């Protein structure tokens, strides 16, 4: 089934915006972004399904009600309301993947007050100003966390988003954000090097400074402050980018998104059948506890989601692992592989 | 071994403050509070050990370094520094209790900026004012979460604290806070009634309005906003209490603390050998995920702890369950006992 420019049959579900409408507006950044993230979702999900070999992704299309108290949840394809919607793909308790979620959302509405405060201070630190008073937002993004079963396979996260905020005067602010980071349980230094190499290649197509800058930002962002440790071996993180241009940033985000499969899938393939012990599994669960801590306490996207009225909580919190563990006073043995990982999380490494 | 008025042999560890010093100052609220929470800790731990019958509590005495970057963690009894310290008692992976933590802390120092902001707005809403500029704080409190293994035994939490904030001018603000709440996995209405009855009895000794007021506050406080559900069947919650007097509020907090054993232990005894299924255990783990969400996102005490420099993270996050689970899109079957619990969590019940 082909719909002119957009081949819906290649996607996990029809886009959030009506396809005819999308095709008519493919000169706008909003539509280009929506199509890019839908395509990325399908590409990543198909690559993961191929590695898993057992289950397919469950696909749920949802809409966000604006100014309604109804909680919207369900597995039926629903009409898209005023507040936008999304497509959530989840594979749970399968052979290779314990929990894998790839979520696309295209949402808009009045900006929640808590989010406005955070954005004001960030926009201000860029030397710009966000007006007081009512603000409207638009966001199109893809967000994913993949938790594999085997402790030798790292968890990966990625997220690419285009954001617009409009003041009452009509003045628009826009920016891109995103990134990806790898969270190993048992460190394989070659995996970290491979992952960073692929991400650097995506950066280098656009700006020779991007990798260095966004790698450092990633180490800073994915930091569990109260534990004094990074959540993984990093990758890229960027936010609030509005230069050099929408077109160039869209191309950059697209390159990053296209680099997810080559960055991560070879690592899955390499380790998915590795032998592991109960102690390895226990360590993985403890580290997943730390993952949950980061996402619930610090993650910008999660916080924004939880602040947004009628947000689809299941789609936001699908980033949380299937199982997590908190053991009081657990300290890895000196010289163990757990201690080796911790040394890297305490002091970020330049992998390239 | 008797030490004059304070029988240290009855406590889990020597108090944070030197015993001779404490005995000399037993006319002060700080010392009375410290002794009360140390005694409560011992009473609760012994009652839990008796129910468990397998393990004893691990006892760790710790101190908080003020203005140092060292992370203090370990199992040795350590000297108490300027920033205060505490005694953490934990029983983990035992017969009846999967994770039980009872923590006493007596800490002081400059008030962290994030905490100051929160307190300013709360003090302001009481019609008072907290000066801008440097503030010093003192806090003495007991905090506990008990996660049993059997899904028929509810989790309980309790916390009683005395708080002082001193402005640069020397002006002092003080208040009491605390409460307890019960989180069942499989609802036994009689348990909820028993728990509330005991807590009401503790309230009624002091003020006929307390139970109603603090029961309602508990339903409001232990509410997981993004899920639209309470975390359990409630109990009592109070904060920022500074009337009618320090003495009366101390007596009230003491009565509440003394009511923990009679409120909770009979419920443990009743259900600890109940049969349960894998499905019950799965449901318990899912609910423990929600417990972790509440504690990491909303809980005032946890937030305060995470903001405090050199706080002992292990003692703060010992409230988290040993295991938790997040299943995407889990919805209890209509008419099931899971659905029965959810109905109560969605709409708080008047148990008495």
């Amino acid at each position: 089934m082909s719909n002119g420019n957009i081949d819906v049959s290649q996607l996990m579900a029809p886009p959030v915006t009506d396809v005819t409408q999308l095709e008519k507006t493919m000169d706008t950044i909003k539509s280009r972004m929506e199509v890019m993230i839908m395509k990325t979702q399908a590409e990543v999900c198909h690559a993961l399904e191929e590695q898993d070999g057992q289950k397919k992704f469950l696909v749920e299309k949802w809409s966000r009600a604006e100014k309604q108290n109804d909680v919207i949840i369900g597995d039926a394809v629903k009409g898209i309301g005023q507040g936008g919607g999304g497509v959530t793909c989840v594979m749970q308790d399968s052979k290779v993947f314990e929990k894998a979620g790839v979520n696309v959302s295209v949402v808009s509405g009045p900006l929640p007050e808590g989010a406005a405060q955070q954005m004001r201070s960030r926009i201000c630190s860029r030397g710009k100003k966000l007006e007081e008073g009512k603000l409207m937002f638009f966001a199109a993004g893809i967000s994913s966390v993949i938790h594999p079963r085997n402790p030798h396979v790292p968890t990966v996260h990625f997220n690419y988003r285009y954001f617009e905020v409009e003041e009452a005067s009509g003045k628009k602010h826009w920016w891109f954000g995103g990134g990806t980071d790898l969270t190993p349980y048992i460190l394989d230094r070659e995996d970290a090097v491979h992952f960073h190499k692929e991400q650097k290649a995506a950066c280098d197509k656009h700006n020779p400074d991007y990798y260095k800058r966004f790698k450092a930002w990633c180490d800073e962002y994915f930091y569990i402050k109260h534990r004094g440790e990074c959540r993984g071996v990093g990758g890229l993180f960027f936010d609030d980018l509005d230069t050099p241009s929408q077109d160039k940033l869209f191309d950059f985000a697209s390159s990053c998104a296209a680099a997810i499969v080559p960055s991560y899938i070879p690592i899955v393939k390499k380790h998915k059948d590795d032998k592991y012990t109960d102690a390895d599994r226990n360590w993985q669960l403890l580290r997943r506890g730390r993952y949950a801590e980061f996402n619930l306490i610090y993650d910008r996207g999660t916080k924004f989601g939880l602040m947004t009225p009628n947000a689809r909580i299941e789609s936001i919190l699908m980033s949380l692992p299937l199982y997590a563990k908190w053991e009081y006073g657990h300290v890895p043995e000196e010289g163990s592989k757990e201690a080796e990982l911790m040394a890297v999380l305490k002091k970020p490494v330049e992998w390239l």
Side-chain angles (χ1 to χ4, degrees), chain A residues 136-193:
Chain A
M136 301 297 287
F137 82 95
F138 167 88
I142 183 168
S143 177
S144 172
V145 176
I146 313 296
H147 292 295
R149 189 175 295 283
N150 191 312
H152 289 279
V153 186
T155 284
V156 77
H157 150 266
F158 65 90
N159 167 229
Y160 304 101
R161 57 192 178 276
Y162 170 74
F163 219 99
E164 270 183 16
V165 171
E166 191 173 343
E167 301 178 354
S169 66
K171 188 180 173 195
K172 257 184 208 168
H173 301 259
W174 61 263
W175 63 89
F176 284 85
T180 179
D181 76 306
L182 194 72
T183 303
Y185 303 95
I186 298 162
L187 183 64
D188 178 332
R189 287 167 191 270
E190 281 177 19
D191 293 347
V193 170

Side-chain angles (χ1 to χ4, degrees), chain A residues 188-217:
Chain A
D188 178 332
R189 287 167 191 270
E190 281 177 19
D191 293 347
V193 170
H194 166 80
F195 188 80
H196 277 266
K197 219 178 242 171
E198 293 291 328
Q199 290 297 315
K200 182 172 187 295
C203 288
D204 287 352
K205 284 181 208 161
H206 302 273
N207 187 317
D209 298 328
Y210 276 179
Y211 173 74
K212 194 180 170 207
R213 186 173 152 206
F214 301 145
K215 190 272 183 197
W217 201 345

Side-chain angles (χ1 to χ4, degrees), chain A residues 44-109:
Chain A
V44 171
C45 288
H46 291 143
L48 294 171
E49 283 174 349
E50 196 188 324
Q51 288 305 311
D52 190 76
Q54 183 184 318
K55 288 195 183 173
K56 296 283 172 198
F57 273 89
L58 168 76
V59 179
E60 296 197 330
K61 192 168 178 188
W62 49 273
S63 62
R64 187 176 78 90
E66 189 56 73
K67 291 178 191 165
Q68 284 181 24
N69 277 324
D70 315 348
V71 174
I72 294 178
I73 191 160
D75 46 14
V77 172
K78 289 181 175 161
I80 299 306
Q82 259 210 307
V87 176
T88 299
C89 299
V90 175
M91 188 193 288
Q92 195 165 262
D93 211 3
S94 194
K95 193 179 160 206
V96 172
F97 300 105
E98 199 167 351
K99 193 162 167 197
V102 188
N103 187 52
V104 153
S105 63
V106 181
V107 289
S108 57

Side-chain angles (χ1 to χ4, degrees), chain A residues 335-348:
Chain A
S336 65
K337 53 194 176 183
E338 290 85 354
E340 189 194 351
L341 176 71
M342 288 314 298
V344 163
L345 302 186
K346 292 273 176 193
K347 198 167 176 279

Side-chain angles (χ1 to χ4, degrees), chain A residues 251-314:
Chain A
D251 289 345
F252 171 56
S254 304
S255 290
C256 289
I260 292 301
V261 167
S263 297
Y264 184 58
I265 296 294
I267 299 173
V268 175
K269 211 167 171 174
K270 181 175 165 191
H271 293 294
K272 67 179 179 179
D273 297 317
D274 284 3
K275 289 212 171 109
Y276 63 91
T277 64
D278 288 349
D280 295 336
R281 170 67 172 165
N282 192 59
W283 174 245
Q284 181 199 46
L285 293 179
L286 291 171
R287 296 306 308 167
R288 284 188 173 160
R290 303 299 173 93
Y291 210 91
E293 286 177 30
F294 179 85
N295 282 17
L296 294 173
I297 301 179
Y298 301 109
D299 186 59
R300 230 173 244 187
T302 306
K303 277 189 181 174
F304 180 78
L306 297 184
M307 278 175 201
T308 307
N310 301 321
R312 191 170 190 267
I313 297 302
E314 285 298 310

